[in-house]
Amino acid sequence: MPRARETGVSNAVEVRGLDVLFEARGRRAQRTALAALDRGESRDALREASGVVAGVVDASLDVAEGSIVVLMGLSGSGKSSLLRAVNGLNPSARGSIGIKTAQGMVDVCGLSTRGLRRLRRHSLAMVFQQFGLLPWATVAENVAFGLSVRGESRARRDAMVKHQLELVGLDNWAEAPIASLSGGMQQRVGLARAFATEADILLMDEPFSALDPLIREHLQSELLALQARLGRTILFVSHDLDEALRLGSRIVIMDGGRIVQDGTPEDIVFRPANDYVANFARHVNPLSVLTARTVMQPLLSTAVDANGFAAEIDIDCPVGELLALTAKSDTPLLVLDQGAPAGRVDRKAVLDALAERMGSR
Amino acid sequence: MEALTDWLTAYRLPIGETIADFVDFLNTHAQGGFDLVSDTLEGLVEGATDALLAVPAPVVVVAVTALAWVLQRRIGFTLFAAASLLLIVNLGLWEATIETLVLVLAASVICMVVGVPIGILAAHRPRLNAAIRPVLDLMQTIPTFVYLIPTLILFGLGVVPGLISTIVFAIAAPIRLTALGVSNVPASLIDAGDAFGCTAWQRLWRIELPHALPSIRAGLTQCIMLSLSMVVIAALVGADGLGKPVVRALNTVNIEKGFEAGLAIVIVAILLDRLCRARAKPA
């Protein structure tokens, strides 16, 4: 079940009990398949029996405004199917997908063709693994695509394209044909095209998977920098845990069409829900995920004397920083959760936490 | 064995008769419609021919040469266009060449205007595609002479039966190649169009047609070449043009006349093919 960690922030996307079926021809086939899934029948059994492929089964998920949530899983786990249901590229068989718009929450599943088109033009934008750029058009024309589809004036379009190209560092390439760009540059065009519509919600379907590792890391940093400036809501599909840990404020792991765990990067790595999740996390370096939240010893009483501590740190402080701080002083650090004292960290706690996780590898 | 053959031939199926009756039926009951089509097309073709022939030949040669340069920007091809057209004037085949050119262009324009929309529909509707495929196969494989006869009866002697037969023969190319181009659009491009909120119409104009353009262009050149190959057959039912001297040469066993007219047809083919191609990108 989704956790309401970001209290006080409203959700941009709310998925409830979503099922996505493929190859289910007709209402009856769909009903039969859903009934079978409700009985707990496995995806494989369903496919054997009726040919229906269950892409997503009973998925519920919240994406808080301004956050990056990463959908992760092996191929065929349903992560892309879920993402594509959010903007209606995959039809949903059951459930609801609430999208926050200027007119309030809108359920994608109950929309007319027109309503869906409106939503896609104004509230949702998408970035694709295969880029999906028009090869016969220039870079500028591609960035302007969403704007021209919804009929923005030439002047507005040009201004927006110029701005977006500057953001992704391609302002000198506006008139270049797409084919003359490298893969990394092409995906920057894909990002600029998605950001250009000013949609609040961005859907990213393994946008960096087709790029080589160095470029991929580079674009991840650029995405984080862009996100820091623009503060959009991003639902990101990845099969790479390192990428997920880097980008995600929350990670949702899928297996066989179902969500098996939904938590913070630390939850996924140190408190995996099952072996499938643990397998993903096996090779993760604890230095890159561990924070004060896991390392600290909770305070027994909230009445603390601030003088007994060397410094105050936030609960999301990475372990690397804790290591540096505790190395300098024998006095413990005070951990604050939203400004309130929550725990203490000393040198031994840091070393114990690291030793425990390093040892288990 | 003989008894079986006798039995098989005793009750001959009236296939030919049925079709002949059908053509007769059309001829008696829909004569007005066919006459209207015939008169309109004949008027258009003859009007265009007369208009082009009213211009002095050297002016047309200069215009076509200029067009060759503008479209292709290649010295060699431009020189070839000028020289080959002057050769046609020299051989006294100018009038016949213009008549053929108009016939071929009229057939190609009609084929594209009708064929491209059908191709688009076929690409979007697999069942329609499956339904028209055997019809297109039939139109391309049935010997031209066979449907030349009914078109002759329905539309009367002259340029129109030749034009209609040419269209029947050539229209399969633009239909097939348009359908191919449109149905080959990569899924990621269709997804991108949908994800940004394209209407079906926007998807067609912004994604499918631009992607299919090279294929549609190939359909046009093929259509022109197929039309050109019908020139001699069109001449058999009374169409004017370069086919006429060929037919006449065949009847009188006249080698030189036949070759000269044949050469002119080849020249027209090369010029049209090169003019319609996409310009080669400068390296």
Side-chain angles (χ1 to χ4, degrees):
Chain A
M1 274 295 106
R3 308 177 354 169
R5 240 170 60 70
E6 291 88 348
T7 40
V9 178
S10 60
N11 288 326
V13 181
E14 288 176 354
V15 180
R16 292 288 175 274
L18 179 74
D19 295 290
V20 174
L21 301 179
F22 300 109
E23 308 295 325
R25 303 195 199 289
R27 283 254 168 87
R28 256 192 63 175
Q30 208 170 60
R31 259 204 314 269
T32 322
L34 288 175
L37 288 173
D38 288 344
R39 271 183 267 118
E41 212 166 282
S42 77
R43 275 208 318 180
D44 291 339
L46 180 67
R47 200 178 56 222
E48 290 271 301
S50 61
V52 175
V53 178
V56 179
V57 184
D58 193 24
S60 294
L61 168 72
D62 285 339
V63 183
E65 256 190 319
S67 70
I68 303 183
V69 171
V70 181
L71 291 172
M72 255 203 66
L74 300 175
S75 59
S77 60
K79 52 193 194 302
S80 274
S81 304
L82 173 52
L83 185 83
R84 291 166 60 90
V86 173
N87 67 350
L89 284 184
N90 285 345
S92 32
R94 189 170 57 180
S96 70
I97 303 169
I99 300 289
K100 187 175 178 174
T101 69
Q103 289 80 39
M105 279 310 235
V106 171
D107 182 5
V108 175
C109 307
L111 281 179
S112 62
T113 317
R114 261 185 99 142
L116 185 60
R117 204 183 302 138
R118 229 179 109 79
L119 197 71
R120 287 165 168 178
R121 287 180 174 186
H122 297 276
S123 305
L124 294 162
M126 196 165 186
V127 183
F128 300 88
Q129 182 177 6
Q130 301 304 331
F131 315 145
L133 301 172
L134 309 180
W136 53 83
T138 64
V139 167
E141 286 164 350
N142 268 286
V143 175
F145 183 71
L147 299 169
S148 77
V149 161
R150 75 175 183 217
E152 298 281 358
S153 73
R154 176 108 223 174
R156 243 185 83 74
R157 233 154 60 196
D158 288 350
M160 186 54 100
V161 166
K162 193 167 175 300
H163 176 63
Q164 292 303 330
L165 286 177
E166 278 164 14
L167 276 183
V168 296
L170 286 176
D171 27 344
N172 291 328
W173 293 80
E175 298 310 316
I178 288 298
S180 66
L181 270 61
S182 68
M185 287 162 89
Q186 291 196 22
Q187 194 56 299
R188 282 204 196 109
V189 176
L191 286 173
R193 176 175 69 177
F195 277 106
T197 66
E198 298 195 291
D200 286 327
I201 300 162
L202 298 176
L203 306 175
M204 305 202 171
D205 193 357
E206 303 208 29
F208 307 144
S209 299
L211 307 173
D212 58 65
L214 218 64
I215 306 287
R216 190 184 312 157
E217 243 172 74
H218 201 71
L219 277 174
Q220 287 164 0
S221 316
E222 278 184 30
L223 177 63
L224 285 172
L226 276 172
Q227 170 66 0
R229 285 180 67 176
L230 303 171
R232 307 286 172 83
T233 304
I234 300 178
L235 190 54
F236 191 106
V237 166
S238 177
H239 62 248
D240 173 6
L241 187 62
D242 286 326
E243 182 171 73
L245 293 172
R246 241 186 123 193
L247 299 176
S249 36
R250 246 180 51 230
I251 298 175
V252 175
I253 309 264
M254 295 188 71
D255 180 25
R258 293 173 195 269
I259 291 178
V260 292
Q261 189 170 5
D262 175 351
T264 61
E266 264 183 297
D267 289 337
I268 301 296
V269 175
F270 300 123
R271 294 174 281 280
N274 60 21
D275 287 350
Y276 176 81
V277 181
N279 244 329
F280 270 113
R282 180 163 301 160
H283 303 292
V284 171
N285 182 350
L287 277 171
S288 63
V289 273
L290 216 50
T291 67
R293 186 184 298 279
T294 307
V295 176
M296 73 179 187
Q297 294 146 330
L299 293 176
L300 297 175
S301 117
T302 47
V304 283
D305 175 16
N307 294 329
F309 297 99
E312 292 175 356
I313 49 143
D314 189 74
I315 195 156
D316 288 321
C317 181
V319 73
E321 233 168 279
L322 297 179
L323 199 57
L325 286 169
T326 51
K328 273 188 250 157
S329 140
D330 290 328
T331 358
L333 306 166
L334 178 63
V335 180
L336 300 179
D337 187 1
Q338 294 180 338
R344 62 193 296 276
V345 173
D346 56 21
R347 191 181 298 154
K348 184 170 181 307
V350 174
L351 291 177
D352 283 348
L354 282 175
E356 183 188 332
R357 267 95 202 180
M358 298 293 235
S360 71
R361 289 171 86 199
Chain B
M1 214 54 213
E2 214 165 283
L4 181 65
T5 327
D6 285 345
W7 180 80
L8 269 176
T9 48
Y11 305 97
R12 196 179 168 284
L13 295 172
I15 293 175
E17 287 90 328
T18 312
I19 290 174
D21 287 348
F22 179 64
V23 172
D24 278 345
F25 174 84
L26 285 181
N27 202 19
T28 41
H29 291 89
Q31 188 58 53
F34 286 109
D35 282 352
L36 184 70
V37 172
S38 183
D39 291 347
T40 316
L41 287 177
E42 192 164 346
L44 282 174
V45 170
E46 280 178 358
T49 312
D50 290 348
L52 269 177
L53 285 175
V55 185
V59 177
V60 179
V61 172
V62 170
V64 173
T65 308
L67 188 69
W69 173 250
V70 169
L71 287 179
Q72 299 293 336
R73 305 266 163 186
R74 278 178 17 229
I75 301 268
F77 174 60
T78 311
L79 289 178
F80 170 80
S84 59
L85 288 173
L86 290 174
L87 175 66
I88 286 174
V89 177
N90 172 265
L91 292 174
L93 290 169
W94 182 253
E95 197 177 325
T97 301
I98 292 295
E99 285 159 357
T100 288
L101 197 65
V102 170
L103 181 70
V104 166
L105 291 181
S108 302
V109 166
I110 294 172
C111 281
M112 294 307 281
V113 167
V114 177
V116 170
I118 293 180
I120 293 170
L121 285 177
H124 288 158
R125 292 173 177 70
R127 284 168 70 177
L128 176 69
N129 197 20
I132 64 171
R133 178 165 297 176
V135 178
L136 294 182
D137 287 340
L138 190 74
M139 281 161 64
Q140 284 194 305
T141 47
I142 199 167
T144 332
F145 286 101
V146 174
Y147 54 81
L148 204 56
I149 310 162
T151 48
L152 189 59
I153 291 172
L154 293 173
F155 295 99
L157 218 61
V159 72
V160 178
L163 183 64
I164 300 283
S165 304
T166 304
I167 292 169
V168 170
F169 181 63
I171 200 168
I175 294 179
R176 279 189 215 276
L177 284 163
T178 303
L180 183 74
V182 171
S183 55
N184 274 352
V185 179
S188 66
L189 284 187
I190 297 288
D191 280 349
D194 287 348
F196 285 93
C198 280
T199 59
W201 196 247
Q202 285 177 323
R203 189 170 61 200
L204 178 67
W205 282 99
R206 287 160 186 269
I207 293 174
E208 289 172 332
L209 285 181
H211 182 270
L213 197 62
S215 186
I216 294 174
R217 200 192 272 270
L220 173 65
T221 30
Q222 270 203 26
C223 183
I224 290 174
M225 292 305 119
L226 290 170
S227 305
L228 211 49
S229 70
M230 284 287 286
V231 161
V232 175
I233 291 166
L236 283 176
V237 288
D240 290 328
L242 289 168
K244 227 168 201 178
V246 175
V247 171
R248 214 170 287 149
L250 181 67
N251 289 337
T252 55
V253 202
N254 185 334
I255 295 176
E256 63 241 49
K257 220 178 168 74
F259 262 93
E260 283 171 8
L263 181 65
I265 293 177
V266 171
I267 288 172
V268 173
I270 295 174
L271 286 180
L272 287 177
D273 179 58
R274 296 296 191 281
L275 283 175
C276 292
R277 271 192 199 172
R279 191 195 299 173
K281 296 227 168 63

